[in-house]
Amino acid sequence: MEKYLYIALFAPLVSSLFSALFTATPKKQFVGIVASLLIFAAFVSSSILLTHIIGGGEVVHVELMTWMATGDLYIPFGFVVDQVSVTMMMVVTLVSTIVHVYSIGYMDHDKGFNRFFAWLSAFVFSMMVLVMSDNFAGLFIGWEGVGLCSWGLIGFWFHKEIATWAANEAFIMNRIADLGMLIGLFLVYWNTGTLQYEGAFAAMPSLDPATLTWIGIFLFIGAMGKSAQFPLHTWLADAMEGPTPVSALIHAATMVTAGVYLVVRSNELYDLIPHVGLFIASLGAFVAMFAASMALVNRDMKRIIAYSTLSQLGYMFVAAGLGAYWVALFHLMAHAFFKALLFLGAGNVMHAMHDELDPFKMGGLKKTMKWTFIMMTLASVALAGIYPLAGFFSKDLILEVAFVEHHYIIYSVLLITAGLTAFYSFRLIALIFHGEERYKLFGIHPHEAYKFMLVAMSPLLLLAIIAGSFKISYFEMVTNVLPELEYHIHHPVTFWIMVIGTQLFVIAAIAFAYKKYANSSVKVPDGTSKMENSIAYKILKNQYYIPYAYEEYLVKPYREISDVFWKQVDLKIVDATVDGIAGIIYSTGEKTRDMQSGNLSTMLKWMVAGTVGLLSLAVVFGLAVRYFDEILAVLSGLGV
């Protein structure tokens, strides 16, 4: 099985390097085809490894070579394929393969076609390193790798200032969080003597609770940045400035779920500090509703879906924080399918609408984009958690966990969020595909996407429908590594009331969204309605003014302080000192240039002067050595 591990790990790297060879050349269609085939090879290898694990095969563990070995520190390039990592491998490679194939059509007319595939495949390789490493150091390498690649992909259209700004925001925000994670890793090594998962987790039960708490907090700070949890959340919506396939891959299915993966992988740590777990769950519940509320009024199609991602990440952290790690991983997997499908569907709509993102300027597109309409509608049904699609099984499990564990506030928040999710999801569907064809007012002539792009999306559609049926078999597989926490409702009547009540609540939210936005009376808002002028609407539209607060109270003061240090310290002290030394040396050279005039008489004079000077120094030095004790006595008498 080792060879399949190597193929799964290194095929994306080969794909990236191959594509990079053509970055300086015009678009070549075969670059996208070859890159996609290599990613598909990684998917096939991951599938074989999954079959091996499901069949009861041993965990595949390899060490390529020693990376660091100094003193007691030993870090190998080690990789492991177990029930947890193989789940992530399947999600990453499957979604990546579909996105690569889809991108051949989506980026068809882009001048940076070859460069795009180089970045995209490099991201996949970094993500595979992250999930397959058997130690925290390897995870951190992949962690930083996906951060770098996301910067390149978000700012792919670097000629657009807003895209460059969004890429920098994502990069800097994650570097702030990664400092916390790095401190956590230092604490792990300092207290356990190793960064290998097995050794570190085995040593943790003997550590004092305070130390474990700090380790858990700092590691979670890293997870907060990567998974865009409050207050490090603002970059996720802004990252929609990148190409839509980037949003589907990085900001729906893989990178943003790395924080959840970190908590799940560190389950042995968080089981020892349940109070930190409760904080994680509480924050997750807050973020779920917080993000959903902002999606209610947003008029950017991709940002609405991005807020949905942020909200669903909150659900995952609730499950992980309450100790239901396998439930968090199950929702991560199911969510990846229908959310990637939503983003790719949004990409189809953008192409059809000449990059228009305001759903109020669309309407009636189901007539010309039948297949995209079907796919996005079913993906939204799955996102809303309607039976029997995938989202029902995974989200219902999280609600069930919160209810059974008596965290009724968290349960209530998640229940309300489920209704909000259904509302804004079908608000988007209604505005895009139903009602009057408002796009005609703007002279747009929409069209369906290429057929091969729709075919590429079809596996995601199938999995969004049937993935929930894998629940029992997935539980049996993954609980060989994760705690066997299966929750049972002791009163079946209560359980069915809860499930049916949730379904009715969600369906009512969908019906309300359709009633309000699917009719022909919907017009393009112009900012004059009472709702748009209400305080609540403005607060939600401006993201609770958090980006404004960051800009006014963090960015601007930092910029002003930096300006002062630049002008008063850097220019007047540092630069002045360096320039002064250089000036003195230059001036000395100018004044002593006559020594090298080539005139024999002048040079003889300098030779005599130099000889006299050297002899004088020799005499002084000799006298000082000879009368050293006397000189010391005189100096001590003078009190020196």
Side-chain angles (χ1 to χ4, degrees):
M1 288 292 123
E2 286 188 17
K3 64 180 179 181
Y4 296 112
L5 182 151
Y6 295 138
I7 294 172
L9 177 62
F10 291 112
L13 177 61
V14 175
S15 175
S16 177
L17 294 176
F18 173 80
S19 302
L21 293 174
F22 301 94
T23 52
T25 64
K27 187 203 83 171
K28 296 183 184 297
Q29 200 80 19
F30 74 87
V31 171
I33 295 172
V34 173
S36 301
L37 288 173
L38 286 166
I39 300 298
F40 179 69
F43 166 67
V44 172
S45 296
S46 299
S47 302
I48 294 171
L49 290 167
L50 175 65
T51 304
H52 169 74
I53 294 295
I54 291 177
E58 293 183 356
V59 170
V60 183
H61 190 188
V62 300
E63 290 188 6
L64 292 179
M65 64 189 77
T66 298
W67 177 30
M68 293 184 186
T70 175
D72 295 330
L73 177 64
Y74 173 71
I75 303 175
F77 278 115
F79 301 95
V80 63
V81 178
D82 61 8
Q83 288 81 354
V84 173
S85 61
V86 79
T87 299
M88 294 297 294
M89 290 166 64
M90 285 297 298
V91 171
V92 172
T93 55
L94 173 60
V95 177
S96 298
T97 300
I98 292 169
V99 168
H100 272 72
V101 175
Y102 178 91
S103 298
I104 295 173
Y106 190 88
M107 302 297 290
D108 185 44
H109 303 294
D110 197 288
K111 293 180 179 179
F113 183 89
N114 302 337
R115 178 169 56 90
F116 179 80
F117 281 94
W119 275 114
L120 201 64
S121 297
F123 169 83
V124 179
F125 171 66
S126 298
M127 194 68 196
M128 294 297 279
V129 171
L130 190 159
V131 302
M132 294 175 68
S133 289
D134 69 349
N135 61 82
F136 282 109
L139 179 143
F140 190 72
I141 292 174
W143 194 274
E144 295 304 302
V146 294
L148 174 63
C149 294
S150 68
W151 173 81
L153 288 165
I154 296 168
F156 181 77
W157 290 318
F158 53 84
H159 55 277
K160 295 168 57 178
E161 184 178 351
I162 190 171
T164 302
W165 183 89
N168 290 339
E169 181 193 21
F171 191 81
I172 293 169
M173 191 76 79
N174 275 276
R175 297 296 73 72
I176 294 170
D178 290 353
L179 175 60
M181 181 179 177
L182 202 55
I183 293 172
L185 297 187
F186 278 126
L187 288 174
V188 169
Y189 177 72
W190 186 264
N191 290 280
T192 67
T194 181
L195 289 174
Q196 299 292 116
Y197 293 146
E198 187 176 353
F201 294 139
M204 284 180 181
S206 62
L207 301 180
D208 65 276
T211 300
L212 291 173
T213 298
W214 283 114
I215 292 174
I217 289 173
F218 280 115
L219 289 181
F220 180 63
I221 289 174
M224 286 170 64
K226 198 66 75 183
S227 295
Q229 296 296 283
F230 178 87
L232 304 175
H233 65 282
T234 55
W235 69 268
L236 183 60
D238 293 333
M240 296 302 106
E241 293 299 330
T244 302
V246 173
S247 304
L249 178 61
I250 297 181
H251 305 113
T254 54
M255 174 178 153
V256 294
T257 59
V260 179
Y261 172 77
L262 174 62
V263 175
V264 171
R265 177 57 80 181
S266 304
N267 66 88
E268 295 176 60
L269 164 64
Y270 287 102
D271 277 344
L272 299 171
I273 44 175
H275 52 291
V276 175
L278 181 59
F279 168 77
I280 292 172
S282 301
L283 180 63
F286 166 75
V287 170
M289 179 176 282
F290 172 72
S293 66
M294 291 186 288
L296 293 174
V297 301
N298 201 277
R299 286 179 54 180
D300 184 307
M301 175 174 57
K302 286 177 66 177
R303 284 176 177 262
I304 292 170
I305 303 174
Y307 285 130
S308 170
T309 298
L310 183 54
S311 181
Q312 296 307 305
L313 287 167
Y315 274 88
M316 297 175 206
F317 277 115
V318 168
L322 296 180
Y325 304 103
W326 78 270
V327 175
L329 203 58
F330 186 56
H331 188 50
L332 183 158
M333 177 180 65
H335 169 263
F337 302 141
F338 54 74
K339 186 54 61 67
L341 182 61
L342 270 175
F343 266 118
L344 296 182
N348 292 350
V349 173
M350 283 183 64
H351 261 202
M353 295 294 296
H354 306 305
D355 292 333
E356 178 58 61
L357 288 167
D358 188 351
F360 280 95
K361 295 180 180 179
M362 301 178 189
L365 284 177
K366 68 177 181 180
K367 297 177 182 178
T368 54
M369 303 185 71
K370 177 182 176 181
W371 289 108
T372 299
F373 162 65
I374 293 172
M375 289 182 176
M376 289 191 69
T377 300
L378 288 174
S380 297
V381 172
L383 174 60
I386 300 295
Y387 181 84
L389 274 69
F392 166 78
F393 294 93
S394 57
K395 286 178 69 174
D396 183 70
L397 277 172
I398 297 172
L399 288 166
E400 184 181 329
V401 167
F403 188 86
V404 172
E405 289 293 289
H406 309 296
H407 296 291
Y408 299 119
I409 294 178
I410 292 177
Y411 169 79
S412 300
V413 170
L414 294 183
L415 180 60
I416 295 170
T417 302
L420 297 179
T421 302
F423 175 80
Y424 69 69
S425 296
F426 282 88
R427 167 182 176 263
L428 185 64
I429 296 297
L431 287 171
I432 294 174
F433 296 106
H434 297 277
E436 186 180 350
E437 297 167 343
R438 297 179 295 277
Y439 59 83
K440 291 182 178 180
L441 299 173
F442 305 96
I444 298 174
H445 302 285
H447 55 83
E448 185 60 280
Y450 296 133
K451 289 184 178 179
F452 80 88
M453 295 169 67
L454 296 172
V455 171
M457 294 166 62
S458 58
L460 293 175
L461 176 63
L462 178 64
L463 288 167
I465 296 172
I466 69 169
S469 62
F470 304 147
K471 171 185 167 183
I472 296 176
S473 57
Y474 183 73
F475 168 79
E476 292 174 350
M477 180 193 79
V478 80
T479 49
N480 288 313
V481 174
L482 299 177
E484 296 185 14
L485 296 175
E486 189 172 15
Y487 293 85
H488 299 280
I489 300 289
H490 297 293
H491 302 288
V493 175
T494 303
F495 170 75
W496 285 110
I497 290 175
M498 183 178 69
V499 172
I500 295 172
T502 302
Q503 290 289 288
L504 291 175
F505 179 53
V506 169
I507 291 171
I510 293 172
F512 179 59
Y514 263 100
K515 182 179 179 180
K516 186 172 178 62
Y517 294 104
N519 54 66
S520 58
S521 62
V522 174
K523 298 180 181 179
V524 181
D526 57 5
T528 60
S529 69
K530 291 183 179 180
M531 183 184 74
E532 290 176 294
N533 287 306
S534 67
I535 295 176
Y537 184 92
K538 291 180 179 178
I539 290 174
L540 295 178
K541 181 182 178 181
N542 289 284
Q543 303 174 58
Y544 293 91
Y545 293 95
I546 292 173
Y548 172 81
Y550 285 171
E551 178 69 23
E552 290 294 320
Y553 303 114
L554 291 177
V555 176
K556 284 186 177 179
Y558 181 80
R559 187 184 294 122
E560 291 171 0
I561 292 172
S562 300
D563 191 60
V564 170
F565 272 88
W566 170 53
K567 292 179 179 178
Q568 303 301 324
V569 178
D570 194 37
L571 293 180
K572 293 185 178 180
I573 298 177
V574 178
D575 284 0
T577 301
V578 173
D579 293 343
I581 294 171
I584 292 171
I585 294 173
Y586 183 82
S587 177
T588 303
E590 284 288 312
K591 292 178 180 178
T592 57
R593 182 180 293 176
D594 291 342
M595 290 183 184
Q596 303 295 328
S597 64
N599 186 290
L600 182 59
S601 176
T602 302
M603 295 178 72
L604 286 171
K605 289 177 182 179
W606 279 111
M607 287 176 63
V608 172
T611 303
V612 171
L614 289 172
L615 290 172
S616 300
L617 286 173
V619 170
V620 171
F621 182 74
L623 291 172
V625 171
R626 183 174 182 180
Y627 298 105
F628 182 73
D629 293 336
E630 289 82 349
I631 293 172
L632 284 178
V634 172
L635 292 174
S636 61
L638 296 173
V640 178

